[in-house]
Structure formats: C-alpha cells, structure tokens
C-alpha cells in the first residue's frame, strides 16, 4: 500500500491562477514570510486579541464579540494564544462561524503546546491556520511579525485587554501604523492589566462598548437590523468611570525642519506608537536602506527615538 504524500501547505496566493503571490489582504506586509492551510478568502475579517491572563469580564466580552461577528458572517481572527485569543476562536466556531489563527511558529511546532490539537485540526473545522515562521523556536521578533500579519489580514482590530509592553499593545500599535480601525475596551486607569489599552486609546484608537459598535464599523449590521456604519468616535471620548472630562488636548508639536537627506514623507510615517523600521519603510514607500539611514539621522537630531527591540517613535 502506497502512503499518499502529505498535502503541502498553501503558498502565497492572490488567486488560483497565481499560486505564488500573496493575497491582497497581505499587501501591507509583502516582505513578511506567510503560509497557510485553509482559505484566506473572506468578505470581512475582525482580529480580536488581548491578554493571556484576562479578567473574567474581559473573557466574557471577547466571547460576546466573537459570537456576534460569527453570526453576522464576519471571520474572527486571532493569535491562537491562551486567554482572549483562544476564547475568540472557540466562540466563533461554537456560533457556526469561521476563524483564522495566525501563529508565530512553524506548523509542526505549535505554541502554546496545549493548543496543538485545536490548531492542527483548525483547517478541518471551518478555519484557517496561518504561520509566519518556517523553523526554530519562537523569539519576540517572531511574535511581532505574527502581530503585523494578523493585523494586515483584518479589516478591524479589537483589543479587549492589554497590559503595557504586551503583545496585544504591540499588535494595536501595528494596527495604528497600518491605518487599520482600532477599537479598544477601556479599563480603570489604576488597573495595570489595562495600562496598554489606555496607551492605545491615547494614541488614536476608539472605544468599543459592545458588539453593535464593532458590527457598524465592519458594515456587517444588516443581519441584526442595525443602522449603517457609524462615524469613528471623536476624541476625547466619554469613558465609563468618574473622571473629569473632557481631557485637555495638548497643542500640536511644530513640524521639525528635516535634516538634509531625509525624505519628507518619512516623518509622516512615524508617530508616538513605536513601530519597526520595516513598517515605516512600507508606509513611506521607501526602501529599507534609505529608511534606516534616515532614521539614524533623525535619531541623532533627537527627532525620533529608538526603543528597545528596534522600534522607532517620535521624540
């Protein structure tokens, strides 16, 4: 008896006629290695992400969002991690929907190990498994790459709960850098479990208070009889705790004079949210070598700051 060869994972493809090209959803991260099993065809996709150690209320909220999206025909994507991620995946499947898991490890080396069975079976359960690494053990940079790919695949990104310097905060920063709508669940300002969430809210994200808000932003409201897409929430916004509002808006910083040799479009691709040089190069439509040289010049001029991990932000 001849054992059939294992099915090769799908490669980067925008159509069946062009099997070696990336789908349009991945155009913003064209430099990243991506492969998958399953389908990446979808009308609307939401990424629901958050803490690996969420509060019970955050876990319930993530499941509520995922179920509402699945029932409205929206694909729910997440990172396959413990906590908010796996809750969103499972809630979408339980509601009869489709979910995509984007992982930072090769498909034969699942992380976390306790999700091996779920991730391995996902392509056979109305799901798609996407990976951004081909070999080796995961490193922090692998997870940052995973976050960028996950954000690129989504039409809207939702951060349910994020501590500061967390993977969810990093993914939210990628959403802002790639100009994806970013909705964040606010938390008490004295709760460190939501410190990253508040950072994102003060950097340009909008508040989400329930699934109706998300479905309006996605334009997926017809199944629920809701009105059409809502306009983005203005900032400052009313937050759900007793604080003096509105928050004062700081005066805009004057645009610095660019040193010689720095392309003018580079500065518009940098914000207060730290991002990698590769993302800045994509947004500014420059090659990486030019971008790195200009970032070094701006760093010496104290216009930008290089944070730990090789990410850049305005000073």
């Amino acid at each position: 008896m001849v054992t059939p060869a294992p099915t090769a994972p799908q490669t980067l493809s925008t159509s069946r006629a062009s099997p070696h090209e990336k789908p349009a959803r991945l155009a913003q991260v064209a430099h990243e290695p991506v492969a998958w099993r399953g389908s990446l065809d979808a009308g609307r996709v939401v990424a629901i992400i958050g803490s690996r150690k969420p509060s019970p209320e955050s876990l319930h909220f993530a499941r509520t969002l995922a179920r509402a999206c699945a029932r409205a025909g929206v694909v729910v994507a997440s990172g396959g991690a413990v906590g908010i991620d796996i809750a969103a995946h499972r809630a979408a499947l339980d509601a009869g929907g489709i979910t995509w898991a984007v992982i930072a490890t090769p498909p034969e080396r699942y992380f976390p190990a306790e999700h091996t069975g779920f991730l391995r079976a996902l392509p056979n359960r109305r799901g798609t498994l996407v990976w951004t690494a081909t070999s080796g053990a995961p490193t922090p940079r692998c997870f940052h790459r995973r976050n960028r790919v996950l954000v690129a695949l989504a039409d809207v990104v939702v951060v349910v709960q994020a501590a500061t310097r967390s993977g969810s905060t990093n993914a939210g920063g990628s959403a802002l850098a790639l100009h994806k709508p970013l909705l964040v669940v606010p938390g008490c300002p004295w709760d460190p479990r939501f410190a990253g969430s508040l950072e994102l809210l003060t950097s340009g994200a909008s508040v989400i208070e329930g699934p109706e808000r998300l479905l309006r932003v996605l334009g997926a409201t017809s199944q629920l009889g809701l009105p059409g897409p809502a306009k983005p929430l203005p900032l400052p916004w009313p937050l759900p705790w007793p604080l003096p509002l509105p928050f004062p808006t700081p005066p805009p910083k004057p645009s610095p004079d660019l040193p010689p040799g720095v392309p003018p479009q580079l500065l518009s691709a940098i914000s207060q949210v730290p991002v990698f040089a590769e993302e800045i190069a994509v947004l500014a439509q420059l090659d990486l070598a030019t971008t790195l040289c200009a970032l070094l010049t701006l760093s010496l001029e104290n216009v930008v700051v290089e944070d730990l991990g090789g990410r850049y932000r305005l000073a």
Side-chain angles (χ1 to χ4, degrees):
M1 178 178 177
V2 179
T3 303
T7 303
Q10 287 182 268
T11 52
L12 318 175
S13 125
T14 52
S15 67
R16 294 177 183 174
S18 305
H20 300 296
E21 298 178 6
K22 287 185 177 180
R25 287 184 176 276
L26 293 173
Q28 291 178 298
V29 287
H31 57 289
E32 300 288 9
V34 183
W36 65 88
R37 292 193 181 110
S39 172
L40 289 180
D41 294 329
R44 290 157 300 196
V45 181
V46 59
I48 300 177
I49 55 179
S51 172
R52 288 177 169 82
K53 297 180 180 179
S55 67
E57 295 82 5
S58 295
L59 209 57
H60 174 75
F61 191 82
R63 293 186 180 116
T64 299
L65 291 181
R67 284 193 293 265
C69 288
R71 290 165 183 161
V74 178
V75 172
V76 175
S78 198
V82 298
I84 296 295
D85 288 16
I86 195 66
H89 287 309
R90 294 189 185 278
L93 290 177
D94 291 344
I98 297 172
T99 190
W100 296 351
V102 184
I103 62 175
T105 54
E108 69 276 2
R109 188 170 186 168
Y110 297 99
F111 181 87
E114 58 262 37
H115 293 171
T116 295
F118 176 85
L119 295 170
R120 180 182 291 143
L122 190 58
N124 299 320
R125 296 187 59 203
R126 303 187 310 278
T128 296
L129 180 67
V130 182
W131 62 95
T132 59
T134 55
S135 62
T139 65
R141 193 171 183 85
C142 292
F143 287 97
H144 293 163
R145 179 188 301 125
R146 183 276 305 276
N147 290 341
R148 293 195 294 274
V149 170
L150 173 59
V151 166
L153 286 170
D155 298 301
V156 177
V157 178
V158 178
V159 175
V160 176
Q161 178 184 325
T164 189
R165 295 186 175 273
S166 64
S168 300
T169 307
N170 173 266
S174 294
L176 293 173
L178 296 178
H179 304 291
K180 294 295 181 84
L182 176 62
L183 304 179
V184 177
V185 179
C188 296
W190 52 83
D191 189 342
R193 296 176 300 176
F194 286 89
S197 303
L198 296 180
E199 287 177 16
L200 294 172
L201 284 169
T202 57
S203 299
S206 295
V207 169
I208 178 172
E209 64 285 288
E212 293 82 5
R213 168 68 180 164
L214 173 57
L215 293 173
R216 287 192 180 100
V217 174
L218 284 162
T221 57
S222 58
Q223 291 89 336
L224 301 180
L226 297 173
K231 296 180 180 179
L233 284 177
L235 295 178
W237 57 89
L239 295 178
W241 52 77
L243 292 177
L245 296 174
F247 294 140
T249 302
K253 292 184 178 179
S255 299
D257 296 328
L258 291 178
V262 176
Q265 70 269 33
L266 184 73
L267 205 58
S268 62
I270 309 171
S271 69
Q272 298 293 340
V273 179
V275 295
F276 290 104
E278 294 89 344
E279 297 176 29
I280 297 173
V282 171
L283 292 172
Q285 298 183 346
L286 297 169
D287 61 86
L288 185 57
T290 300
T291 301
L292 289 171
C293 182
L295 287 172
L296 176 60
T297 301
L298 292 175
S299 298
L300 295 174
E301 296 288 335
N302 295 320
V303 177
V304 302
V305 175
E306 182 179 5
D307 289 344
L308 293 176
R311 294 183 292 172
Y312 296 85
R313 60 175 174 84
L314 290 176

